[in-house]
Amino acid sequence: METVGHLVIVAGGKGTRLSALVGDIPKALVPVGGKPVLQHQLELAVGAGVRSATIFAGFLADQIAAFVGDGSRFGMRIDVRVEDEPLGNAGAVLQSLDTLPPRFFVMYGDVMMAVDLARMAQAHHSAGAAFTAFVHPNDHPFDSDLVEADAQGRVTQLHNAPHAPDRIYANLVNAALYVVERDALRSFARPGKQDFTKDVMPCLIACGAKVLAYRSADYIKDMGTPERLARVEADLKNGKIDLAASGKLRAAVFLDRDGTLNVEKGFLASAEGLELLPGVGAALKALRQAGYSLVVITNQPVIARGEASEDDVAAIHRRLEWDLGKEGAYLDAVYLCPHHPDKGFPGERPELKIACDCRKPGTAMVEQACRDLALDPRLSWMIGDQTRDIELARRAGLRSVVVRTGTGGSDGRYSATPDFIADDLSAAARLILEQKKAAA
Ligand SMILES: [Zn+2]
């Protein structure tokens, strides 16, 4: 397993917006659960095999230096460098490349996280990436800096907020945690202010360097305002930040799409036709709040039959994520099967006319999601409106709820019986939460 042994923390932030709350201390020393966020970061890194760190400090750098010392009490070597003038979040790092090892993590000093760093490093290595950015969906994509990635996870474009009101993007937010190949940044080593998202990433993408979007359901949230800090504190208290999360698997609710999340309208071929069922946003929020990852698993034979392109379906899913975002909900991922086994449709695509193992009730999409997002099927559920969803749940070892919306489980294709029946997604979510409570 390839590891990354060095960590760079950009901790120049003044914490002005937090000063009324915590007094005159640098953001990195703001306590979360009684411990500076910087200490949480260092402990996380040590747990992932990181043995040295460079901290770029500015405002009240002496406090940071005094706090970390030489790093030995955290089990690592730490070097604190002082920025005399603010150089953006990347400037000081780029000017110090010669003193940094060939590969390192970069994090900002005001971000609370419980990320499996070793797993992220492995993804960076397997992809042969020059630069890997941790990305995840959030509940306010419309005012977040967004990343556009292709099916292999390679970043193709960045869309920084604010976004034009008529645009709809995938809900993929840059969370400001990176794995960096030092030598890919050589051309940026010049004086002056620079920023990872505004300068470095766009240039790397433009010159063809491999920038990977590492999508994960691990916890990561900035705490740079009093409201955000309060949320992070609450998350820690409610057990949503599992500081020993590395290598642990989490619970998910797998969701069918048409007839479960949105109104069933035959075969949906364009984004305009997407209409969320009532209460879906609130139901997903409640499941999220209880700690479930949320993953859509959908058969899209429209692609094989030539009735919609991959781009059309991607546009439907951007719209789905965007509309859910307006209700404060988000999905961790959407998996689709583009195949269809039967030939004979005009305009069909022969290469997709195959018997695959991803088409529900095949389990390949669930298995892939479990690998990608570190999910445990034994802790997880499937909600759908068709018997193939129930059969999928049976085969994949998930508990299942059939909803009475859409087909309502009356298609008669498979004889598997669901564990529960619910009127709609809201009722299904309540039921899952009751079961969780009863088991606790
Ligand atoms: Zn398939």
Side-chain angles (χ1 to χ4, degrees), residues 336-339 356-359:
L336 67 90
C337 163
H339 308 114
C356 61
D357 48 12
C358 44
R359 181 172 163 80

Side-chain angles (χ1 to χ4, degrees), residues 302-308 342-350 353:
V302 285
I303 300 177
R305 294 200 300 248
E307 295 158 7
D342 308 323
K343 296 189 175 60
F345 293 81
E348 70 184 16
R349 292 169 52 183
K353 282 293 182 176

